[in-house]
Amino acid sequence: MTQKLLEVKNVSKIFRIGGMLRGKKLIAIDDVSLDIDAGKPIILSLVGESGCGKTTLCKMLMRLHKPEMGEIILDGYSYTDKKSFDSLQFRLKVQPIFQNPYESFSARKTVDTYLFNTALRLGIAKSHFEAEKLVDESLKSVGLSLAAVKGKYPTQFSGGELQRVSIARALIPRPKLIIADEPVAAIDASMKMNIVNLFKELKDKYKISFIYITHDLSTAYYVSDYIATIYRGSLIEYGPAKEIMDHPAHPYTELLMNAVPVIGDKWSEGLSMPDMEDKEYAISYCKFAPRCQYATEECRQKRPDMIDVTKARKVLCFHPLIKPSDEEINHAMMA
Ligand SMILES: Nc1ncnc2c1ncn2[C@@H]1O[C@H](COP(=O)(O)OP(=O)(O)O)[C@@H](O)[C@H]1O
Ligand SMILES: [Mg+2]
């Protein structure tokens, strides 16, 4: 069996909105499963419109939210296994990058302080002196250096440069996984590709896997090895990026791909239906059916199961746009 770096097993997150009595339940993440193999680093993009649950899933992966159901296992250690789970080890293996670098760094501290603190707090360096080489190396791998950054405050950097510093900070423990939630959303359009290119470089150089969360499909298009499409809290399609882009299997992914904008553009406004959001989250049949041009009676009666359309591709749909291969059908019948 292939060793897994990350296993997300049937994970759900429920928010209760309003009071206990009259409040509503929002299933913000609904039975999501996915995994990343160990040993072969990948960039997995989580894509979907604003409000579909990307940040909620990301927060669960970073242990900032506890799932109501399901299990997350990193490098063989379950987040919920209090005996074997070690939070220092976790932070050595998983590092975050956030959306707005000006919010990640305090305006009153020089940015190099953060890099030194990470090295010292995680026990990677024993002294400031020992940390210097490490900090400089990390900064150099994102095209900066300690000499260029030392003593400077966040406002002395552009958004793109500051996001590079965040990446350098995340690299200090040489993590196995970096989780980046909309890391280029607040960055100047001309710098976006620059940052996502860096992910590709670092993946190869340091064998780090990335979970790249974005609603900017054009960068996902370019950078991902795998894509996971999220719709109203459900994972609706998963597989190798190029295959999904060339031949989407889910009607929603098709809709997104047809609307792929030029680099830096957001989703077309025509795609979002915010007034429907709560209702669609609560639908007991296929959540996409109300918007789906291919929907049938079956789609309006029950929820589809996740099916394998090829060995590497999964889709949550009764009528996928690509049909399972004979090999998959044989495989399913033998199982
Ligand atoms: N702390 C919270 N309490 C209640 N509802 C929340 C909370 N966080 C997120 N939500 C809701 O969960 C849904 C998914 O939000 P989020 O994960 O932030 O989406 P995305 O990152 O894809 O834009 C939205 O409907 C949002 O309003
Ligand atoms: Mg978000």
PDB file of all heavy atoms in Angstrom, residues 50-51 53-56 99 181-182 213 215, ligand 2:
ATOM      1  N   SER A  50     -16.305  31.631  -3.924  1.00  0.00           N
ATOM      2  CA  SER A  50     -16.302  32.169  -2.563  1.00  0.00           C
ATOM      3  C   SER A  50     -17.448  31.571  -1.778  1.00  0.00           C
ATOM      4  O   SER A  50     -18.561  31.456  -2.294  1.00  0.00           O
ATOM      5  CB  SER A  50     -16.527  33.671  -2.629  1.00  0.00           C
ATOM      6  OG  SER A  50     -15.322  34.304  -2.515  1.00  0.00           O
ATOM      7  N   GLY A  51     -17.172  31.175  -0.532  1.00  0.00           N
ATOM      8  CA  GLY A  51     -18.234  30.657   0.323  1.00  0.00           C
ATOM      9  C   GLY A  51     -18.504  29.170   0.145  1.00  0.00           C
ATOM     10  O   GLY A  51     -19.428  28.640   0.749  1.00  0.00           O
ATOM     11  N   GLY A  53     -16.506  26.710   1.067  1.00  0.00           N
ATOM     12  CA  GLY A  53     -15.970  25.920   2.179  1.00  0.00           C
ATOM     13  C   GLY A  53     -14.471  25.695   2.142  1.00  0.00           C
ATOM     14  O   GLY A  53     -13.927  24.952   2.962  1.00  0.00           O
ATOM     15  N   LYS A  54     -13.760  26.382   1.242  1.00  0.00           N
ATOM     16  CA  LYS A  54     -12.322  26.145   1.099  1.00  0.00           C
ATOM     17  C   LYS A  54     -11.562  26.469   2.391  1.00  0.00           C
ATOM     18  O   LYS A  54     -10.762  25.672   2.865  1.00  0.00           O
ATOM     19  CB  LYS A  54     -11.748  26.996  -0.049  1.00  0.00           C
ATOM     20  CG  LYS A  54     -12.388  26.737  -1.394  1.00  0.00           C
ATOM     21  CD  LYS A  54     -11.752  27.566  -2.491  1.00  0.00           C
ATOM     22  CE  LYS A  54     -11.901  29.069  -2.358  1.00  0.00           C
ATOM     23  NZ  LYS A  54     -13.276  29.578  -2.422  1.00  0.00           N
ATOM     24  N   THR A  55     -11.844  27.652   2.949  1.00  0.00           N
ATOM     25  CA  THR A  55     -11.122  28.055   4.158  1.00  0.00           C
ATOM     26  C   THR A  55     -11.479  27.149   5.335  1.00  0.00           C
ATOM     27  O   THR A  55     -10.614  26.804   6.153  1.00  0.00           O
ATOM     28  CB  THR A  55     -11.424  29.546   4.491  1.00  0.00           C
ATOM     29  OG1 THR A  55     -10.883  30.325   3.438  1.00  0.00           O
ATOM     30  CG2 THR A  55     -10.816  29.985   5.811  1.00  0.00           C
ATOM     31  N   THR A  56     -12.734  26.730   5.399  1.00  0.00           N
ATOM     32  CA  THR A  56     -13.152  25.841   6.484  1.00  0.00           C
ATOM     33  C   THR A  56     -12.375  24.522   6.413  1.00  0.00           C
ATOM     34  O   THR A  56     -11.856  24.043   7.435  1.00  0.00           O
ATOM     35  CB  THR A  56     -14.680  25.587   6.397  1.00  0.00           C
ATOM     36  OG1 THR A  56     -15.331  26.846   6.401  1.00  0.00           O
ATOM     37  CG2 THR A  56     -15.173  24.736   7.537  1.00  0.00           C
ATOM     38  N   GLN A  99      -3.615  34.615   3.286  1.00  0.00           N
ATOM     39  CA  GLN A  99      -3.990  35.442   2.150  1.00  0.00           C
ATOM     40  C   GLN A  99      -3.278  36.795   2.099  1.00  0.00           C
ATOM     41  O   GLN A  99      -2.681  37.160   1.113  1.00  0.00           O
ATOM     42  CB  GLN A  99      -5.503  35.654   2.186  1.00  0.00           C
ATOM     43  CG  GLN A  99      -6.011  36.559   1.097  1.00  0.00           C
ATOM     44  CD  GLN A  99      -7.526  36.554   1.012  1.00  0.00           C
ATOM     45  OE1 GLN A  99      -8.174  35.684   1.563  1.00  0.00           O
ATOM     46  NE2 GLN A  99      -8.082  37.508   0.335  1.00  0.00           N
ATOM     47  N   ASP A 181      -3.765  29.368   1.795  1.00  0.00           N
ATOM     48  CA  ASP A 181      -5.165  29.751   1.581  1.00  0.00           C
ATOM     49  C   ASP A 181      -5.219  31.087   0.832  1.00  0.00           C
ATOM     50  O   ASP A 181      -4.910  32.124   1.409  1.00  0.00           O
ATOM     51  CB  ASP A 181      -5.884  29.861   2.933  1.00  0.00           C
ATOM     52  CG  ASP A 181      -7.396  30.051   2.747  1.00  0.00           C
ATOM     53  OD1 ASP A 181      -7.874  30.044   1.590  1.00  0.00           O
ATOM     54  OD2 ASP A 181      -8.098  30.212   3.767  1.00  0.00           O
ATOM     55  N   GLU A 182      -5.559  31.046  -0.424  1.00  0.00           N
ATOM     56  CA  GLU A 182      -5.650  32.240  -1.286  1.00  0.00           C
ATOM     57  C   GLU A 182      -4.400  33.112  -1.184  1.00  0.00           C
ATOM     58  O   GLU A 182      -4.499  34.332  -0.958  1.00  0.00           O
ATOM     59  CB  GLU A 182      -6.886  33.074  -0.889  1.00  0.00           C
ATOM     60  CG  GLU A 182      -8.174  32.276  -0.844  1.00  0.00           C
ATOM     61  CD  GLU A 182      -9.076  32.479  -2.047  1.00  0.00           C
ATOM     62  OE1 GLU A 182      -8.605  33.080  -3.035  1.00  0.00           O
ATOM     63  OE2 GLU A 182     -10.211  32.011  -2.004  1.00  0.00           O
ATOM     64  N   ILE A 213      -5.078  26.844  -2.200  1.00  0.00           N
ATOM     65  CA  ILE A 213      -6.516  27.134  -2.177  1.00  0.00           C
ATOM     66  C   ILE A 213      -6.768  28.429  -2.926  1.00  0.00           C
ATOM     67  O   ILE A 213      -6.119  29.445  -2.652  1.00  0.00           O
ATOM     68  CB  ILE A 213      -6.984  27.234  -0.711  1.00  0.00           C
ATOM     69  CG1 ILE A 213      -6.860  25.839  -0.096  1.00  0.00           C
ATOM     70  CG2 ILE A 213      -8.404  27.755  -0.614  1.00  0.00           C
ATOM     71  CD1 ILE A 213      -6.656  25.834   1.365  1.00  0.00           C
ATOM     72  N   HIS A 215      -9.671  30.864  -5.605  1.00  0.00           N
ATOM     73  CA  HIS A 215     -10.807  30.982  -6.498  1.00  0.00           C
ATOM     74  C   HIS A 215     -10.353  31.633  -7.817  1.00  0.00           C
ATOM     75  O   HIS A 215     -11.164  32.009  -8.635  1.00  0.00           O
ATOM     76  CB  HIS A 215     -11.989  31.697  -5.836  1.00  0.00           C
ATOM     77  CG  HIS A 215     -11.724  33.123  -5.485  1.00  0.00           C
ATOM     78  ND1 HIS A 215     -11.311  33.498  -4.244  1.00  0.00           N
ATOM     79  CD2 HIS A 215     -11.800  34.240  -6.222  1.00  0.00           C
ATOM     80  CE1 HIS A 215     -11.144  34.805  -4.225  1.00  0.00           C
ATOM     81  NE2 HIS A 215     -11.441  35.285  -5.412  1.00  0.00           N
TER      82      HIS A 215
HETATM   83 MG    MG B   2     -11.724  31.482   2.012  1.00  0.00          MG
END
